[in-house]
Amino acid sequence: MGKPVILAVDDDASVLEAVIQDLRRQYGSGYRILRAGSGQAALDICAQLKERGDVVALFLSDQRMPGMQGVEFLERAQGVYPDAKRALLTAYADTEAAIRAINTARIHYYLTKPWDPPEEQLYPVLDDLLEDWRVDYKPPFEGLRVVGPRWSLRDYQVRDFLSRNQIPYVWLDPEKDDAAVQLLQQYKVDDRHLPAVLFPDGAALVQPTITELAGRVGLRTQAQKDFYDLAIIGAGPAGLAAAVYGASEGLKTLVIEPEAPGGQAGSSSRIENYLGFPSGLSGADLARRAYVQASRFGAEFLTQRATSICVDNQYRLVRLADDRDVSCYACVIATGVNYRRLAAPGVERLTGAGVYYGAALVEARSCAGEQVYIVGGANSAGQAAMYFSRYAEKVTMLVRSGSLESSMSKYLIDQIAGTSNIVVETWAEVKEAIGENRLEAIRIGTQQGEELRPATGLFIFIGAAPQTDWLPEGIMRDANGFILAGRDFRVEGQLPRIWKEEREPFLLETSTPGVFVAGDVRHGSVKRAASAVGEGSIAVQFVHQYLARF
């Protein structure tokens, strides 16, 4: 198979030639640039490419063409190459039709003619589309293989870690796939000690810890330097925003994250109300873009868990799980929140074996033809319901309140109402999870009484629980564990004795000077990705003011 194809379509020969020249100049080294003078000619080319086994990465089509308009061509081309990105070239007068086509033809972007200069008007858009395509494209696989039973917590944790860090792998269940058994024999792995991660070079990791796995797949587990201007703990939207702004403004920046960039938002299957993305984007896409952006500015990412923070004169020391210390001038805590644990019999025992906290997107395809339940009524639960509805036979949302209106965005409520295999049950809660080695049924409490229902997947999205027990007493928190900052840690209007500075604390500064907080873990924060991004960027401005004192 040759290079992936970019196919440009326009009935105006001079415009088409200009498009081809611009595409070849920027993308000719990595892609085959092909042209077609009409929608039908382009479909004929698609059929030929498909027959030869070639791959199309991007369609770029003009809208106004005789015989077949661009939107119609892109709709029909989607049936041939559903994974290709689709962009529409329009005149200014056609922008309304182009915007409608985002929903009807599921085009990914529209560009207004003329696109000069292409460095500003064309290439940034196509770069993003092609990068998204490369992330989703699955060439003949030659990478990692994970062998483990589906109903195993450790197997799930390995797959979830690799997926959230966007490391390609193939999962094989030895209980269902003979190829998995053969691979275990080839790699000389005992099938009693699973999961196993098998590498192309013949090496294998058996029941690996997350740190072992991170190091083996190329993630950094030890800091490159002993000292940084800024250490950011947590790589959710707030931490990633702080990393982008800190590194881009010249601060030596370290991001400490034990799992994967994106945090809780990173597991969202679709975010459709994030500014600047009219077609929506997944949490993983948002995390990937931010990670690449921060890395390009020089931010360093470390796959480690922070276990404490202490003060040494003007320095802040962050202790890591491997007992190493990282020294910095200032620190931003952006650890976000986790979902609250569901206190019902059987839930804890079956976690990872049919019961999951959060979207658990790695399980979605495995739920094909099954009945799954989602607990919660906020946006994250609604996004998960829409995603799982693509695979599961039936998705049932269990909501403790009487409706979704008070906790979920209107656009999601409308989407759920229009999806035939999603059912919303209000005044309902899980009383028990039942099963021996995996989830087999759940007991549900409703206004009519308790019911026992078969279930293979239970996905929990309830509440927000900050993980702040590891912080020292010098960083004040509210009764629920959320971190107090600025005026919030005043006691009866007065700064507490623990605050030793003569100055007032900065807005996002904790009760330990030089330690800031941003995002969902902060007391009083708005639990939205966009607000977390805003707080992360603002925190860096206060870091600069703090550092200016030295």
Side-chain angles (χ1 to χ4, degrees), residues 333 335-336 465-472 475 477 480-483 521:
I333 302 172
T335 48
Q467 303 299 306
T468 54
D469 292 344
W470 60 278
L471 292 172
I475 297 178
R477 284 147 280 171
N480 295 314
F482 290 92
I483 298 174
V521 73

Side-chain angles (χ1 to χ4, degrees), residues 144 157-168 199 205 209-224 235 254-261 291 295 300-304 322:
L144 301 185
Q157 289 171 335
V158 166
R159 291 186 287 121
D160 186 60
F161 177 81
L162 293 173
S163 297
R164 294 183 61 195
N165 281 281
Q166 301 186 32
I167 297 167
F199 295 85
L205 281 180
T209 66
I210 293 303
T211 302
E212 289 172 339
L213 185 57
R216 185 62 176 79
V217 299
L219 300 177
R220 184 168 289 125
T221 59
Q222 293 185 9
Q224 288 185 305
L254 176 69
V255 184
I256 302 166
E257 166 59 47
E259 296 177 358
Y291 172 82
S295 299
E300 179 184 336
F301 284 80
L302 188 64
T303 304
Q304 274 282 3
D322 64 359

Side-chain angles (χ1 to χ4, degrees), residues 88-105:
L88 193 68
L89 282 173
T90 69
Y92 182 79
D94 295 328
T95 55
E96 185 176 342
I99 292 172
R100 287 199 305 270
I102 290 176
N103 290 324
T104 59

Side-chain angles (χ1 to χ4, degrees), residues 18-171:
V19 172
I20 291 296
Q21 288 182 5
D22 286 340
L23 291 175
R24 283 178 176 164
R25 185 165 60 248
Q26 182 74 2
Y27 305 110
S29 62
Y31 297 85
R32 289 172 59 201
I33 313 299
L34 301 182
R35 72 178 78 196
S38 69
Q40 186 56 55
L43 289 175
D44 292 341
I45 292 174
C46 287
Q48 295 169 9
L49 293 171
K50 193 74 173 179
E51 187 176 348
R52 292 202 302 260
D54 290 322
V55 175
V56 176
L58 171 69
F59 293 111
L60 181 60
S61 175
D62 184 49
Q63 165 62 0
R64 291 195 177 186
M65 296 187 294
M68 184 185 300
Q69 292 193 333
V71 169
E72 182 185 352
F73 160 69
L74 292 175
E75 282 184 300
R76 294 176 65 178
Q78 183 182 8
V80 184
Y81 284 103
D83 297 326
K85 296 300 177 181
R86 298 174 293 280
L88 193 68
L89 282 173
T90 69
Y92 182 79
D94 295 328
T95 55
E96 185 176 342
I99 292 172
R100 287 199 305 270
I102 290 176
N103 290 324
T104 59
R106 297 193 178 277
I107 68 169
H108 297 98
Y109 213 92
Y110 74 90
L111 295 153
T112 305
K113 297 186 292 186
W115 58 86
D116 289 329
E119 290 77 14
E120 296 179 10
Q121 304 297 330
L122 181 66
Y123 297 151
V125 171
L126 299 190
D127 285 348
D128 272 353
L129 291 176
L130 291 170
E131 174 64 20
D132 286 348
W133 177 83
R134 282 194 294 270
V135 168
D136 294 332
Y137 172 56
K138 294 177 174 57
F141 192 79
E142 298 178 354
L144 301 185
R145 289 174 172 82
V146 177
V147 180
R150 176 184 176 187
W151 309 111
S152 160
L153 176 59
R154 296 187 71 170
D155 177 75
Y156 163 71
Q157 289 171 335
V158 166
R159 291 186 287 121
D160 186 60
F161 177 81
L162 293 173
S163 297
R164 294 183 61 195
N165 281 281
Q166 301 186 32
I167 297 167
Y169 70 94
V170 166
W171 172 57

Side-chain angles (χ1 to χ4, degrees), residues 349-362:
R349 180 174 58 83
L350 294 173
T351 296
V355 177
Y356 307 95
Y357 286 89
L361 300 184
V362 296

Side-chain angles (χ1 to χ4, degrees), residues 130-458:
L130 291 170
E131 174 64 20
D132 286 348
W133 177 83
R134 282 194 294 270
V135 168
D136 294 332
Y137 172 56
K138 294 177 174 57
F141 192 79
E142 298 178 354
L144 301 185
R145 289 174 172 82
V146 177
V147 180
R150 176 184 176 187
W151 309 111
S152 160
L153 176 59
R154 296 187 71 170
D155 177 75
Y156 163 71
Q157 289 171 335
V158 166
R159 291 186 287 121
D160 186 60
F161 177 81
L162 293 173
S163 297
R164 294 183 61 195
N165 281 281
Q166 301 186 32
I167 297 167
Y169 70 94
V170 166
W171 172 57
L172 300 169
D173 186 343
E175 297 176 358
K176 296 182 178 180
D177 197 327
D178 292 338
V181 178
Q182 294 172 5
L183 277 171
L184 292 176
Q185 294 172 350
Q186 177 184 335
Y187 279 77
K188 299 180 179 179
V189 173
D190 190 331
D191 60 7
R192 295 172 297 178
H193 301 132
L194 298 178
V197 183
L198 311 179
F199 295 85
D201 62 2
L205 281 180
V206 177
Q207 296 183 342
T209 66
I210 293 303
T211 302
E212 289 172 339
L213 185 57
R216 185 62 176 79
V217 299
L219 300 177
R220 184 168 289 125
T221 59
Q222 293 185 9
Q224 288 185 305
K225 306 179 183 69
D226 293 326
F227 178 80
Y228 296 84
D229 297 317
L230 173 63
I232 301 165
I233 304 174
L240 289 168
V244 168
Y245 280 87
S248 67
E249 293 167 9
L251 299 179
K252 288 190 294 184
T253 302
L254 176 69
V255 184
I256 302 166
E257 166 59 47
E259 296 177 358
Q264 196 177 84
S267 63
S268 294
S269 55
R270 203 73 184 165
I271 303 172
E272 296 193 55
N273 59 353
Y274 194 83
L275 183 66
F277 294 88
S279 297
L281 79 168
S282 69
D285 283 341
L286 178 62
R288 174 181 56 80
R289 292 167 185 266
Y291 172 82
V292 171
Q293 191 175 19
S295 299
R296 184 168 64 86
F297 286 126
E300 179 184 336
F301 284 80
L302 188 64
T303 304
Q304 274 282 3
R305 185 177 300 277
T307 58
S308 68
I309 299 175
C310 65
V311 176
D312 183 8
N313 296 319
Q314 75 268 36
Y315 304 112
R316 305 295 172 262
L317 301 179
V318 181
R319 175 61 59 91
L320 304 177
D322 64 359
D323 291 331
R324 298 173 185 262
D325 288 335
V326 172
S327 179
C328 57
Y329 279 133
C331 179
V332 173
I333 302 172
T335 48
V337 295
N338 290 336
Y339 293 109
R340 283 207 326 266
R341 311 303 283 185
L342 180 60
V347 167
E348 197 66 28
R349 180 174 58 83
L350 294 173
T351 296
V355 177
Y356 307 95
Y357 286 89
L361 300 184
V362 296
E363 290 298 312
R365 294 184 186 276
S366 300
C367 293
E370 299 179 352
Q371 297 190 27
V372 302
Y373 287 80
I374 290 177
V375 181
N379 276 9
S380 55
Q383 290 159 356
M386 290 300 301
Y387 186 76
F388 279 95
S389 69
R390 303 180 196 174
Y391 306 99
E393 178 184 349
K394 181 180 178 182
V395 177
T396 302
M397 297 187 67
L398 303 176
V399 184
R400 290 186 65 180
S401 64
S403 72
L404 296 173
E405 275 70 15
S406 63
S407 56
M408 187 179 293
S409 297
K410 180 67 165 55
Y411 81 91
L412 265 176
I413 295 174
D414 292 342
Q415 288 181 1
I416 289 168
T419 305
S420 61
N421 63 334
I422 298 180
V423 175
V424 179
E425 296 190 16
T426 56
W427 307 115
E429 58 182 322
V430 175
K431 294 293 187 179
E432 183 182 6
I434 300 167
E436 289 298 324
N437 299 317
R438 65 178 181 87
L439 180 69
E440 298 172 2
I442 56 175
R443 193 180 305 279
I444 300 173
T446 69
Q447 287 185 306
Q448 289 73 41
E450 293 190 358
E451 301 178 21
L452 185 65
R453 300 185 192 173
T456 55
L458 179 67

